Amino acid sequence: MTEKLTIRGGKTLEGKIEIAGAKNSALPLIAATLLTEKEVYLENVPRLDDVQTMLNMVRELGKDVTATGPDTVRITGAVSSNQAPAELVRKMRASFLVLAPLLGKTGRAEVPLPGGCNIGTRPVNLHLQGLKRLGVEINQDDGRIIARANNLRSNDIFLDYPSVGATEQLLMAAVCAKGKTTIYNGAQEPEIRDLALFLTELGADLSLKGSVLTVNGGSEFGKGNYKVLSDRIAAGTYMLAGVATGGKVKVESVDPSSIKPLSLKLRKAGVKVEENERSIQIESQGRPDNLEVITLPFPGFPTDLQAPITSVLTLAKGKSVVKETVFDSRFGHVAELSKMGADISVTNSNTVFIEGKNKLRGTEVEATDIRAGASLVIAGLAAEGKTEVSGMKHLDRGYSELQSHLESLGATIERVSENG
Ligand code: UD1
């Protein structure tokens, strides 16, 4: 049954939201549990389809996975297969991250190539180049990567681009390679630090200094108990929903430094932003001012908030420009926002031009990926009349309890099956 969200827009959102664990942290952490046979407890695991996909993946590879509470999971047992099922990798690109732990554990891994997706081509060349530096022999057969290394060897690795996934993959390989590996120009997203802390909890010896990651590999891995970092992108999405509706929204249990670029941009647009140790509150001061936004690897403005902030800027005073530099085609929301009356266009150099208007109108729109979906929900909340967002499967991959959270802020939002 396909479902859609029906939003009656125009309500001012007010209230607070407790932010759940980060999808982008939980996924690599679950993959990393393959490194140990001992019992691992993960807390603050978000209830999301992508997380279920990764839990199913490690289960297929031999792990025993038990939910021990609404957001806690126990993962234990030895790897019994080093072949990742194609349907799970196809469902979610992050499943490719099981490659390094499988290699480290068994000396061999077969993982289908994740292929392209709705936001761009997304190759894995940086993962593979780095693994080769660690002595991994890589072959490709029938759309699968077959990687072999009886003994991973430590080495220096320079990443041509600070890819989040490649940094995570190489970190998980490096902890299995005896000796010192240094990764230069690694990604610095908070989720990388979370993986590093989790690996340390399991027994790894590593340190991070900006974009340089140093690993003394070859440790034994034991049991662990770890709380997943909070989701800075979900926090940012609710902050932006508050701004779009002229409201006042507080996001709690999140580290303000993880979302600084958004807070600073919002202040520049005239929004009142109050940061406390573990919370951020935004308070709209009327229509936001126009902005220029460019997406970059952390600590730059996150690409995952590009679509959500674009929705807000369709309602800003004056002309805004949003440039996407991380992905090569992440604009599924632009045509849909146009249908809602936004004055918006995208050039082939990945730049979005927006002439802010004082209102959007509700209509039928389709989410083409997770963050495009979030952007349409934000637009729908601010728009006049009824917005119907289809493509719920994308939103379910990345936002837990979206509907109830928005309802708690005062939104009128309903989830209905597409045929009534
Ligand atoms: C992760 C996040 C995603 C976020 C992205 C950038 C997860 C599960 N997903 O995705 O939400 O939008 O970081 O912050 O954590 N690239 C290559 N070769 C490679 C790897 C990447 O060219 O081997 C390119 C990609 O095509 C893309 C760019 O690098 O254009 C960034 O990708 P990357 O940082 O790897 O993102 P993901 O780890 O896939």
Side-chain angles (χ1 to χ4, degrees):
M1 180 178 64
T2 46
E3 292 179 301
K4 62 186 175 188
L5 274 185
T6 301
I7 305 166
R8 305 259 169 201
K11 299 267 167 64
T12 301
L13 298 191
E14 280 193 28
K16 49 189 179 188
I17 303 280
E18 178 80 22
I19 298 300
K23 164 180 89 73
N24 288 354
S25 195
L27 299 178
L29 263 54
I30 296 167
T33 63
L34 294 167
L35 290 167
T36 180
E37 282 150 33
K38 303 277 161 44
E39 213 169 45
V40 175
Y41 285 89
L42 289 175
E43 295 167 42
N44 206 27
V45 178
R47 275 162 274 164
L48 295 169
D49 287 358
D50 273 10
V51 168
Q52 281 313 319
T53 302
M54 191 60 104
L55 290 171
N56 288 340
M57 173 65 92
V58 296
R59 206 178 262 130
E60 290 283 325
L61 297 171
K63 291 295 217 178
D64 181 23
V65 178
T66 329
T68 49
D71 58 2
T72 49
V73 61
R74 173 180 173 268
I75 304 176
T76 188
V79 168
S80 60
S81 159
N82 52 19
Q83 300 181 353
E87 69 276 10
L88 294 177
V89 182
R90 226 176 290 126
K91 245 186 184 168
M92 181 184 73
R93 180 186 159 83
S95 329
F96 193 67
L97 290 176
V98 299
L99 194 148
L102 288 179
L103 250 181
K105 259 342 247 184
T106 71
R108 187 184 160 99
E110 282 187 31
V111 184
L113 274 168
C117 69
N118 292 342
I119 64 173
T121 44
R122 301 183 90 174
V124 288
N125 56 320
L126 299 170
H127 298 233
L128 302 182
Q129 284 161 16
L131 289 171
K132 284 183 188 161
R133 297 275 304 158
L134 299 179
V136 182
E137 183 195 321
I138 307 257
N139 288 296
Q140 217 171 301
D141 172 44
D142 199 19
R144 282 172 315 158
I145 294 295
I146 303 171
R148 291 186 196 87
N150 286 336
N151 282 308
L152 285 158
R153 60 158 200 265
S154 55
N155 206 345
D156 284 348
I157 300 172
F158 173 76
L159 283 174
D160 285 332
Y161 183 87
S163 149
V164 172
T167 306
E168 291 165 345
Q169 187 85 270
L170 296 172
L171 206 50
M172 291 189 280
V175 294
C176 301
K178 223 180 170 75
K180 182 173 161 192
T181 293
T182 309
I183 303 170
Y184 294 95
N185 198 32
Q188 299 180 59
E189 270 67 4
E191 293 76 20
I192 301 285
R193 174 161 299 276
D194 214 37
L195 175 61
L197 290 171
F198 177 60
L199 292 171
T200 308
E201 162 75 8
L202 296 186
D205 177 6
L206 54 93
S207 67
L208 309 188
K209 208 166 182 206
S211 62
V212 181
L213 300 89
T214 310
V215 181
N216 287 307
S219 322
E220 284 286 308
F221 298 109
K223 60 186 169 90
N225 200 330
Y226 195 79
K227 183 172 176 195
V228 178
L229 174 80
S230 298
D231 195 325
R232 64 195 166 100
I233 303 300
T237 303
Y238 292 113
M239 288 159 69
L240 288 164
V243 175
T245 60
K248 182 173 170 183
V249 170
K250 187 170 186 184
V251 288
E252 296 188 318
S253 298
V254 65
D255 175 3
S257 72
S258 70
I259 191 134
K260 204 70 178 177
L262 176 65
S263 299
L264 293 175
K265 281 289 173 195
L266 290 179
R267 275 195 189 130
K268 187 141 195 268
V271 177
K272 191 167 159 200
V273 181
E274 242 179 68
E275 295 176 337
N276 293 304
E277 210 183 320
R278 297 284 300 158
S279 67
I280 312 164
Q281 178 169 280
I282 62 87
E283 186 175 354
S284 161
Q285 309 290 307
R287 277 178 77 190
D289 294 331
N290 60 326
L291 287 175
E292 282 182 21
V293 177
I294 176 163
T295 67
L296 285 169
F298 194 87
F301 191 91
T303 172
D304 285 347
L305 289 177
Q306 180 254 113
I309 201 168
T310 297
S311 289
V312 170
L313 294 176
T314 64
L315 293 160
K317 290 183 245 166
K319 291 182 202 297
S320 294
V321 181
V322 179
K323 184 162 172 64
E324 172 63 54
T325 75
V326 178
F327 287 104
D328 57 12
S329 72
R330 195 172 206 183
F331 301 108
H333 51 295
V334 170
E336 304 303 287
L337 289 173
S338 273
K339 286 188 203 160
M340 298 179 72
D343 186 344
I344 184 168
S345 60
V346 56
T347 69
N348 50 16
S349 60
N350 284 346
T351 307
V352 180
F353 289 97
I354 306 154
E355 177 81 51
K357 289 192 157 182
N358 61 11
K359 55 178 175 253
L360 294 174
R361 52 167 197 276
T363 185
E364 287 179 24
V365 286
E366 190 188 348
T368 48
D369 67 79
I370 305 177
R371 309 304 169 188
S375 133
L376 298 174
V377 170
I378 292 172
L381 291 165
E384 280 183 348
K386 184 167 94 171
T387 299
E388 294 180 315
V389 184
S390 58
M392 280 308 293
K393 65 172 189 210
H394 297 293
L395 282 159
D396 290 341
R397 290 184 53 190
Y399 288 93
S400 58
E401 298 168 74
L402 179 69
Q403 184 189 347
S404 59
H405 279 334
L406 291 172
E407 274 171 347
S408 77
L409 297 177
T412 307
I413 182 165
E414 209 186 339
R415 189 170 173 134
V416 289
S417 74
E418 293 256 37
N419 35 19

